[in-house]
Amino acid sequence: MSRRIPPPQPGTLLAALDPAAPLARRHLWLIECLAWIRGDRRSVEDAVSRVQRFVEAAESDAEARARLQAWWGTLVGTVDITTLLADFGFAPRTALASEVAERLRYKLLPGSPETIDASELFMLALPDAFDALWLAALEEPLLERLLAVLVPATEGGGATRWQQSLLDAITYCAGQILSTGFAPELRLRMSESARDAQPFHALIRDVESLRVEVLHQLRTTDRLDEAVLRLRERLEACRAAAATVYSHFEDNGISVGLVFRLRQLRERILRVRDLLDCLLSPEPATSAARLMARLVTVGRERRSLRALIASNSSLLAAKVAERSAETGQHYITRTGAEYRAMVAKAAGGGFVMAFTTLMKFGIVALALSSFWGGFWAGVNYAVSFVLIMLLHCTVATKQPAMTAPAMAAKLKELQTPEAVESFVDEVTHLVRSQVAAILGNVLVVFPAVAGLTLAIAWATGVPAISRAEARHVLDSLQLAGPSLLYAAFTGVLLFASSIIAGWAENWFVLQRLDSALQYNPRITALLGRDRAARWAVFWRTNLSGFAANVSLGFMLGLVPAFAGFFGLGLDVRHVTLSTGQLGAALTSLGMSALHQPAFWWAAATIPFIGALNVTVSFYLAFRLALRAHSVTRVERARLGAALRARLRRAPLQFFVPRSAG
């Protein structure tokens, strides 16, 4: 058994220090020293005690202290700390795509200590979240002693160098804030009052005033205090002006790129505040350690793709959820009359889907290649879904992804028990609506397909589909097979189509295309003013529906083809289409099919397919909406308990409308 190598001691570390070593070796010594302080990451007190032991070793050895001071002077002279203070954690370019690529580079490619970039060295030397804890735990006396062994007493200018670095970092951050604030895509979206106030115009002047007062202080601090107050007020005015862009998003759509730039701007303003606090602190060593601790956390986030995408897409998720909520309200029935109307609309959708089912069989009979078969199946589905929308009918499985955001939108009002009960009432309305829509679809599509296939067989003398194909339908719908997995996967596609719909509508509004359709001179010359206005209203109202239906149709057709290309073997199971296929199989096999267990197992699978289609798509959309509305775990638990209580007390409310409604 190998013997455990003891960790190095502070004397050993100091003896290994060579201030004349090459750049990479000097930085490697720093990384090794900090790794020794970090230890096993179990105790902050142990890490602080190691710092104290290191300081004591340097204080007791004059030769080692001289080498350490020479090494420190070389380090601060070679590596510009201003880069770390001003730019660490910020994107080098104000574009989300370039920042994603940059973070992938940090995650996938190793870093080198042979660098003069303080940010790269910082991430190599202090990569662990534990580093922020022990840095924040260092107290002023210990930090003063550490500073004394690093900076020669004769130099007497350590604080001035630190102040100069902080002032330079504040200037660099202010320049970036100014550049972003003057960007036309942000400036034109600010409120009129914010633009008139011109908060960004005097930012650099206020920073320069601060620099003069810090570097050339008089005996009184009045002028310095005034300069600091002006800069703080200027920063707050810049932050408030940038925040007005969010209200523009409410009515004019959201761009992830703009959200990214706004977040960068806000973080820059916060960084300047931190640097300013550090500059003015009566305990500069402690404030510097706290700042380094915060930068460790920033470095951890700097590597995270998930944090980047989540923080910059949350507003878009909220807007997509909000637009879906507006659409979803139309799919929730609350009275008996609305319930019956939903059944009628679903019946119309089921009738159209009967023709869709037959077209699907016709495409399969052509024996096209996998891609072209999937493509034309997608065209078939897309045309059918769009036709159903234009006829003001409905397909049951398209509703959950739209109704979930409408439900979650009500979660913002959960302040009283009455509000919780009201939300549970909405859930019962929603479940009844889904039951009505599914029943309307399947109870019409089955006899409609059966009638159409019998008519085709009577007219042509041959069955609409062969007996082999009918048996394949029964085998593919068996409860013990992969049908339930495919049904859940179809629910994912249904949710994806709602996201595409929300994104398309947001993009349409963001680009102001409805206004362009109504007022663009070339378009009005071609269509006339009245027709152009009608087209603008039509597309603003129906674009989301077109995007959802077309995208869903092509995903149902093409995703299995692409999955097959990669050997995944995924398929789709849509409750309405599967019910129609079962009706076609029955007419092909004849009444004898009713005596076959395979038929009844396939029939038993239909309700589960419908339940999974609806449940999975609703769950995913509801989770997205919960995140968009920042609903806490405690509130979710309250809702779950209220729903279970209602289900025990009045289960029929989830399936049948009240007679009084």
Side-chain angles (χ1 to χ4, degrees), residues 177 180 200 242 261-269:
I177 293 170
T180 305
F200 294 92
R261 299 193 71 172
L262 282 171
R263 288 187 181 276
Q264 291 277 294
L265 176 62
R266 178 179 177 275
E267 294 300 323
R268 289 272 187 190
I269 292 173

Side-chain angles (χ1 to χ4, degrees), residues 318-336:
K319 182 55 63 178
V320 168
E322 179 183 316
R323 297 195 186 282
S324 296
E326 294 172 2
T327 305
Q329 287 289 350
H330 304 301
Y331 293 117
I332 301 178
T333 65
R334 296 176 176 83
T335 65

Side-chain angles (χ1 to χ4, degrees), residues 314-562:
S314 58
L315 269 181
L316 180 60
K319 182 55 63 178
V320 168
E322 179 183 316
R323 297 195 186 282
S324 296
E326 294 172 2
T327 305
Q329 287 289 350
H330 304 301
Y331 293 117
I332 301 178
T333 65
R334 296 176 176 83
T335 65
E338 291 176 350
Y339 184 89
R340 291 187 291 273
M342 177 62 70
V343 173
K345 290 180 179 180
F351 184 74
V352 174
M353 292 296 285
F355 293 91
T356 308
T357 305
L358 293 180
M359 288 295 298
K360 168 65 175 174
F361 283 122
I363 292 169
V364 171
L366 295 176
L368 300 172
S369 66
S370 180
F371 171 80
W372 288 110
F375 174 81
W376 288 111
V379 171
N380 177 37
Y381 297 146
V383 170
S384 300
F385 293 149
V386 169
L387 179 61
I388 290 171
M389 180 191 75
L390 295 177
L391 292 175
H392 302 288
C393 297
T394 189
V395 178
T397 51
K398 283 179 67 276
Q399 296 177 11
M402 295 296 181
T403 52
M407 300 297 299
K410 297 183 178 298
L411 296 178
K412 295 182 289 186
E413 306 165 3
L414 293 182
Q415 305 297 330
T416 63
E418 292 77 13
V420 174
E421 285 300 309
S422 176
F423 178 81
V424 174
D425 288 338
E426 286 294 299
V427 173
T428 62
H429 299 328
L430 171 63
V431 174
R432 286 201 304 268
S433 303
Q434 296 301 312
V435 171
I438 291 177
L439 287 176
N441 279 170
V442 300
L443 293 180
V444 171
V445 72
F446 185 89
V449 170
L452 289 171
T453 51
L454 287 174
I456 292 172
W458 176 79
T460 62
V462 294
I465 63 173
S466 65
R467 295 179 65 87
E469 194 168 4
R471 284 192 292 270
H472 173 72
V473 168
L474 298 184
D475 293 339
S476 67
L477 290 177
Q478 292 302 295
L479 189 61
S483 288
L484 299 186
L485 173 64
Y486 296 158
F489 176 67
T490 304
V492 175
L493 298 184
L494 290 161
F495 164 71
S497 71
S498 72
I499 294 299
I500 292 172
W503 176 87
E505 185 175 0
N506 179 75
W507 176 84
F508 185 87
V509 174
L510 180 68
Q511 303 300 326
R512 303 177 65 231
L513 293 182
D514 51 343
S515 178
L517 285 172
Q518 185 171 357
Y519 298 114
N520 184 275
R522 295 176 61 184
I523 295 177
T524 54
L526 179 65
L527 299 177
R529 290 185 179 180
D530 293 339
R531 184 178 298 174
R534 290 196 300 271
W535 274 65
V537 173
F538 174 83
W539 282 107
R540 177 66 179 83
T541 306
N542 295 292
L543 179 72
S544 175
F546 278 109
N549 289 303
V550 172
S551 63
L552 176 61
F554 278 100
M555 283 191 291
L556 291 177
L558 285 173
V559 168
F562 282 106

